[in-house]
Amino acid sequence: MDRHLKSMGKTLGVKNQVFRGEVNIFWDEIRQGKKETILYLHGFSDRKENFYYAAKTLSRTYDIIMPELPGFGGSEKHHDRQYGIADYILWFERFLLSLDIEKVHLAGASMGGAISAHLATRHPEKVKSLTLIDSAGFVLDNYNTFYEEVLGDECPFLIKSEQEYEVFRARIFFNQIKIPNFVKEYLIKEMIDNHDWYKKILYDTFDEKPLDGLTVNKPSITLNNLFGKITIPVNIIWGKEDTLFPYQMAEYAHKTINGSRLRILENVGHCPQLENPRLFSRTLGELLSL
């Protein structure tokens, strides 16, 4: 799998970078002198390279920056460090402010969406638009969501066997993506090997903790009351068949965020950027051009 993604990255002209801070942030960039830049933050248990599929189309129009969320992919893992949502926000706040770019189109998927939303509200001067992709952080009454599963110790991301991995894939994708056996075996091993590590990050993420003027409430990634004063354009892209965060959350977000634009993608699950990268890229490109 790594060879395949490295080959794709080479074709796209990806350059590997490191931002050195409290934790090191490994990031990839596709810079071809485009007028505008997309900064994409991936979700829980994902990796930056998985955005290459969408970047194949988007890089024709935009420069693209793809950081690795610390603790995932090939990044460092510090078992003695807290990986709460407030920590991620502050780590990426410093990363965002370090970029030699006036403004970025900030896009975040799932957990990356929650982080992106906080960054956009804290630093609107650095963000031209915000796009939430099946974002974590919206809490609705009467809807069974991923949060209840985590708090009930039934998290689909905590894999111990091939059977559990298959259940996980069925939860993430509405249409199962065909992958070679060697890639599947790699992914299963990676998920099993990271079982305890992912559990730590989940518990850290749901741990309420004020930090450096940032107060978060349980679940700590909630966005329900965040958008009252937001002034930048907000786009919402959501898979209609998302079983982690039902599309009604997207409808709620759209009503909550004044002037937001909503696109619900039919026959797509939690990861439209992976499940249907062409549709996703076309949708995001259309929204950013408005």
Side-chain angles (χ1 to χ4, degrees):
M1 179 176 178
D2 282 341
R3 289 197 301 271
H4 169 68
L5 290 173
K6 286 180 180 178
S7 176
M8 185 184 298
K10 185 176 181 180
T11 300
L12 290 170
V14 168
K15 293 184 179 179
N16 307 122
Q17 308 281 7
V18 182
F19 172 73
R20 301 195 181 279
E22 184 179 351
V23 294
N24 292 334
I25 294 177
F26 298 87
W27 57 288
D28 291 348
E29 65 174 349
I30 303 174
R31 289 246 189 131
Q32 300 173 334
K34 305 298 184 183
K35 291 183 179 180
E36 298 181 337
T37 300
I38 295 172
L39 170 57
Y40 170 78
L41 298 185
H42 66 75
F44 188 91
S45 83
D46 202 357
R47 55 170 57 200
K48 55 183 170 56
E49 291 88 353
N50 280 337
F51 197 66
Y52 288 178
Y53 300 98
K56 289 172 65 176
T57 299
L58 292 168
S59 61
R60 299 170 188 166
T61 308
Y62 300 93
D63 286 344
I64 301 179
I65 294 175
M66 300 162 281
E68 195 103 83
L69 267 63
F72 299 108
S75 67
E76 302 162 338
K77 296 177 175 63
H78 300 282
H79 292 267
D80 58 345
R81 183 178 292 280
Q82 180 89 1
Y83 285 77
I85 193 68
D87 301 290
Y88 279 103
I89 293 165
L90 292 180
W91 294 335
F92 277 102
E93 181 176 60
R94 292 159 190 158
F95 175 78
L96 175 64
L97 295 176
S98 75
L99 296 174
D100 60 344
I101 301 170
E102 184 178 357
K103 289 189 176 185
V104 299
H105 291 289
L106 186 56
S110 196
M111 178 179 172
I115 297 167
S116 296
H118 282 282
L119 292 176
T121 54
R122 287 166 69 86
H123 292 283
E125 77 283 358
K126 290 288 290 184
V127 180
K128 189 166 186 176
S129 72
L130 169 67
T131 300
L132 302 174
I133 308 157
D134 292 73
S135 177
F138 295 103
V139 182
L140 297 183
D141 294 332
N142 302 319
Y143 282 94
N144 185 26
T145 68
F146 171 71
Y147 306 126
E148 283 72 26
E149 294 180 67
V150 173
L151 296 174
D153 286 330
E154 296 181 357
C155 177
F157 289 92
L158 302 181
I159 306 301
K160 292 183 178 179
S161 67
E162 181 177 350
Q163 290 74 22
E164 290 183 358
Y165 175 77
E166 293 297 343
V167 173
F168 164 76
R169 284 192 69 210
R171 292 291 307 279
I172 298 298
F173 302 114
F174 179 67
N175 299 293
Q176 289 304 301
I177 300 174
K178 293 182 179 180
I179 56 176
N181 286 334
F182 78 93
V183 173
K184 180 179 176 181
E185 291 171 2
Y186 173 91
L187 293 173
I188 292 172
K189 183 179 186 304
E190 184 178 49
M191 294 290 286
I192 292 175
D193 289 347
N194 281 300
H195 176 277
D196 292 346
W197 175 250
Y198 288 168
K199 188 173 184 178
K200 169 192 163 43
I201 296 182
L202 279 170
Y203 285 174
D204 285 353
T205 299
F206 277 77
D207 181 33
E208 185 178 37
K209 181 182 67 170
L211 183 64
D212 192 23
L214 175 67
T215 301
V216 289
N217 301 311
K218 291 183 179 179
S220 60
I221 48 180
T222 183
L223 304 180
N224 286 38
N225 300 315
L226 190 65
F227 292 104
K229 298 181 180 179
I230 195 165
T231 57
I232 63 172
V234 177
N235 306 309
I236 303 166
I237 301 176
W238 219 274
K240 180 74 174 287
E241 306 298 334
D242 190 336
T243 69
L244 299 185
F245 305 130
Y247 74 90
Q248 288 85 358
M249 287 185 167
E251 295 177 334
Y252 169 80
H254 179 47
K255 293 177 182 177
T256 303
I257 306 169
N258 291 333
S260 63
R261 297 180 288 252
L262 172 64
R263 300 291 186 273
I264 294 179
L265 306 183
E266 299 287 340
N267 302 314
V268 177
H270 182 65
C271 296
Q273 69 279 10
L274 270 174
E275 186 171 343
N276 195 332
R278 289 185 179 180
L279 174 61
F280 167 80
S281 299
R282 183 171 67 249
T283 303
L284 177 58
E286 290 172 353
L287 288 169
L288 295 184
S289 67
L290 294 176

